[in-house]
Amino acid sequence: MTTLYEAAFAKLNLTLDVLGKREDGYHDLQSVMQAISIRDDIEIDVGTGKPWKLLCTAEDIPTDEKNLAWKAAKVFCDVLKKNPDGLEIRINKRIPSGAGLGGGSADAAAVLRALNRYYDEPLSVMALAELGAEVGSDVPFCVLCGTAMVEGRGERLRKLPDMPDCVFVVCKPDFSVSTPELYQKIDTVAIADRPDNRAMEAALLAGDLGKIAENVCNVFDPVVTSEHLELNYIKSIFHSYGALAQQMTGSGSAVFAILENFEYAAVACNMLKDNYPQVFIAKPV
């Protein structure tokens, strides 16, 4: 038996635009995504000689074939015709679920990377990301990590220049948002403010943190905030302590801020901790 270890990094949507509904029922997206240092830790025992098993430290996470990490292992083994002779996947969960941080996708991506390494890397990173699209929309990016433009349903990736040095504070309020319901809602509202992804790319190319912050934009943010005004409270705390930008990530409900230094980030974090237990400080990875 061999034990594999892999980190599963959360993601933020620096920009997120919904371009329209496709014939298959999904929506075309355009998003600049960023991997951050909030992480789950994945351990995989290969060759247990027993039926597949998944364990997770969080109680609300499925531990059967519904879990994306399990799905990822199955897709990898099926497509590459590998027989691991029994797997046990253990997830040490730190990324909040229902937050828009891609926790389940990050776990799936970590499983794909770990198994690919175990079998002497039969797939390139981009081929592995392509395989990840069969598991979930955010999995391809979570395989790649770093900074990238993500398009289509999440399957089209283009690497972008790394984010300049900064600090993120991420706050997950007590509520979560139904992603399918939010997509239904976005089809019925007029989107007043869309991200300028060209400007975001130019800012990343220049390594200009101020310009990156200016171009942070998520079309879902006003839709969710209109029903959950406490997001404005969280953003106001971030703004008070020098955040260059504050924005919801993904379909929510976590809000992130971009700050220039750790000291202000720590103060903002402490100000929110009493009301919001799930507050994190992170760096780009």
Side-chain angles (χ1 to χ4, degrees):
M1 189 182 77
T2 304
T3 303
L4 315 176
Y5 302 92
E6 190 73 22
F9 294 106
K11 63 85 182 167
L12 295 175
N13 299 84
L14 299 179
T15 69
L16 177 53
D17 199 2
V18 179
L19 304 180
K21 198 168 186 179
R22 299 155 30 139
E23 287 183 7
D24 63 5
Y26 289 99
H27 288 74
D28 274 319
L29 306 177
Q30 194 174 50
S31 176
V32 176
M33 290 193 190
Q34 175 64 50
I36 59 172
S37 57
I38 302 171
R39 59 185 255 194
D40 295 344
D41 285 316
I42 309 295
E43 296 179 7
I44 308 171
D45 290 340
V46 182
T48 62
K50 298 175 184 175
W52 285 28
K53 188 176 182 181
L54 189 144
L55 305 168
C56 183
T57 55
E59 291 177 6
D60 57 341
I61 303 296
T63 55
D64 56 13
E65 61 275 2
K66 294 190 193 78
N67 190 293
L68 293 186
W70 185 306
K71 285 184 182 178
K74 186 164 189 330
V75 164
F76 184 91
C77 293
D78 287 352
V79 169
L80 277 88
K81 296 181 171 53
K82 302 292 185 185
N83 177 12
D85 185 30
L87 283 180
E88 180 170 303
I89 302 169
R90 294 183 294 279
I91 303 172
N92 183 8
K93 199 83 186 134
R94 296 190 194 90
I95 303 170
S97 56
L101 294 166
S105 298
D107 296 342
V111 167
L112 290 175
R113 284 196 304 268
L115 290 175
N116 197 48
R117 193 173 63 247
Y118 175 74
Y119 287 110
D120 297 324
E121 302 192 350
L123 297 178
S124 68
V125 172
M126 293 311 278
L128 199 63
E130 198 175 314
L131 186 62
E134 296 184 29
V135 182
S137 298
D138 288 334
V139 178
F141 171 76
C142 291
V143 168
L144 185 67
C145 288
T147 313
M149 173 66 76
V150 180
E151 296 182 276
R153 197 165 68 86
E155 77 281 4
R156 298 207 310 272
L157 299 177
R158 183 160 50 83
K159 197 93 174 75
L160 296 177
D162 290 340
M163 182 111 182
D165 190 44
C166 65
V167 184
F168 296 106
V169 180
V170 180
C171 178
K172 164 68 170 70
D174 291 337
F175 71 91
S176 291
V177 179
S178 163
T179 303
E181 285 177 21
L182 190 54
Y183 273 103
Q184 284 178 359
K185 201 169 288 182
I186 204 85
D187 289 334
T188 65
V189 299
I191 298 173
D193 192 20
R194 292 184 182 273
D196 185 340
N197 282 310
R198 283 189 180 180
M200 178 60 87
E201 280 199 52
L204 285 163
L205 195 60
D208 187 331
L209 189 62
K211 288 286 186 191
I212 290 166
E214 279 178 26
N215 285 289
V216 164
C217 180
N218 177 353
V219 295
F220 285 132
D221 184 297
V223 181
V224 176
T225 302
S226 67
E227 294 187 3
H228 299 277
L229 294 178
E230 67 178 300
L231 295 187
N232 282 330
Y233 168 71
I234 296 168
K235 291 176 198 168
S236 71
I237 295 293
F238 286 150
H239 184 71
S240 301
Y241 291 97
L244 301 176
Q246 46 278 320
Q247 180 75 59
M248 192 181 78
T249 180
S251 55
S253 61
V255 177
F256 71 92
I258 301 174
L259 297 102
E260 289 184 281
N261 65 64
F262 181 82
E263 288 75 15
Y264 283 125
V267 175
C269 194
N270 285 332
M271 288 299 294
L272 288 164
K273 263 185 180 169
D274 286 345
N275 292 325
Y276 302 102
Q278 297 190 88
V279 187
F280 307 84
I281 294 177
K283 300 282 282 180
V285 294

